[in-house]
Amino acid sequence: MIERGSRSKSRAGAEFAASPGPLYRRLMQVLKQEIVTGVYPVGARLPTEAELCSRFRVSRYTVREALRQMRTDGLVVSRRGAGTTVARSGAPARYVHTVGSIEELVSYATETRYEVEHSNRVVSDGVLAERLGCGEGESWLRIDGLRYAPGASTPICWTEVFVRSEFSGITRVLTRRKGPIYAWIEDLYGERIAEIEQVLRARPIPAAVAGRLEVEPQSAGIEIRRTYRLTSGQTAEIAFSLHPADRFTYSMTLRRGSP
């Protein structure tokens, strides 16, 4: 008879082998899933570094980085001579997103960490043109990656950005600058963003993104679409941020205008 824990570990091992992303993050996701499903309940000791290296065929560096990130998230604690013990099994903390002005959006982009994973040039076909609200055949720079709260290893959201081709020179600073991408457009091209339109909608999280957000495919998500317009009215950038619904709160304060 095969025990439940053995089946869970076997399935997790297969998911580890098939998942994209850095090895330490893939290992961390598997261990988190095993904690959540009760393979390693609160108070249980995780396998040793050597055992994890052998099971997943990874280096000690990979194992140590995964465990370090899990300690940062408060999932486990490590003590000399006692190994690594599960501290909690709850879901990642809910992130409260408070933005009421362009200045607060700058603060949000500066305080959080955006890790760019891919960038490439795309030409809008019928589907992309409808999504962006542009004409077919237009050229855009596409950027995607994950955004993290300070000190966290679980991402806040997956962000996909489309920048008009005439501003694609920002690729020179993609990995070297912090802050919002629209600010790079302003600095490099002498333009000014006068308006940012935000639209929120519910949508399921696709399988291609779910693993990177550490959620189940087709689970509930909240997408924020931001359209950045220049003083001329031209759209310079469109960004889509997809958040797991159970770890996201959007806060907005409305004030009565002067009479």
Side-chain angles (χ1 to χ4, degrees):
M1 179 178 179
I2 300 176
E3 297 182 359
R4 177 176 175 273
S6 298
R7 290 198 303 269
S8 298
K9 289 181 182 180
S10 177
R11 184 169 58 251
E15 292 173 353
F16 173 83
S19 298
L23 285 175
Y24 79 87
R25 188 172 294 159
R26 288 156 56 184
L27 173 57
M28 182 176 63
Q29 290 173 0
V30 169
L31 293 177
K32 282 184 176 181
Q33 185 63 24
E34 291 181 347
I35 290 172
V36 169
T37 57
V39 176
Y40 301 111
V42 174
R45 187 178 300 176
L46 291 183
T48 66
E49 289 184 3
E51 289 169 338
L52 290 172
C53 289
S54 175
R55 176 186 169 191
F56 293 99
R57 298 182 181 180
V58 295
S59 68
R60 281 187 179 270
Y61 170 82
T62 296
V63 170
R64 287 171 180 171
E65 181 62 17
L67 294 177
R68 185 187 71 80
Q69 296 279 4
M70 292 172 69
R71 285 194 297 271
T72 299
D73 285 351
L75 280 174
V76 300
V77 293
S78 298
R79 296 184 178 87
R80 186 179 295 275
T84 300
T85 305
V86 177
R88 67 175 178 86
S89 61
R94 182 182 295 267
Y95 184 78
V96 179
H97 182 40
T98 305
V99 174
S101 67
I102 292 180
E103 289 72 23
E104 287 180 349
L105 188 59
V106 173
S107 177
Y108 162 75
T110 302
E111 292 174 0
T112 58
R113 183 176 85 258
Y114 183 43
E115 292 189 1
V116 174
E117 296 188 354
H118 308 98
S119 65
N120 62 294
R121 295 177 187 270
V122 297
V123 176
S124 56
D125 57 12
V127 175
L128 183 58
E130 182 177 357
R131 186 181 181 206
L132 298 182
C134 68
E136 293 188 34
E138 293 188 12
S139 180
W140 296 80
L141 171 66
R142 179 187 175 277
I143 305 163
D144 75 73
L146 297 168
R147 187 172 292 280
Y148 298 83
S153 60
T154 300
I156 298 169
C157 63
W158 176 70
T159 298
E160 186 180 18
V161 181
F162 293 87
V163 177
R164 283 200 177 274
S165 60
E166 52 262 49
F167 306 121
S168 61
I170 64 166
T171 53
R172 301 195 303 269
V173 297
L174 272 182
T175 58
R176 296 189 287 110
R177 289 189 61 170
K178 295 182 179 180
I181 290 176
Y182 83 80
W184 308 347
I185 296 173
E186 291 183 325
D187 290 346
L188 294 177
Y189 293 93
E191 297 283 1
R192 178 173 172 77
I193 300 295
E195 176 183 272
I196 303 175
E197 178 188 26
Q198 294 192 133
V199 178
L200 279 72
R201 72 177 182 116
R203 61 165 293 195
I205 298 178
V209 178
R212 294 149 79 184
L213 288 175
E214 302 175 24
V215 297
E216 291 296 320
Q218 301 303 306
S219 58
I222 298 173
E223 181 182 80
I224 304 177
R225 169 187 165 134
R226 294 189 178 95
T227 303
Y228 299 78
R229 299 189 180 97
L230 305 175
T231 52
S232 65
Q234 179 190 29
T235 296
E237 174 192 340
I238 301 173
F240 299 88
S241 295
L242 184 57
H243 300 253
D246 64 353
R247 67 176 84 147
F248 174 76
T249 298
Y250 188 86
S251 175
M252 180 174 61
T253 300
L254 303 177
R255 295 185 176 87
R256 189 180 297 277
S258 301

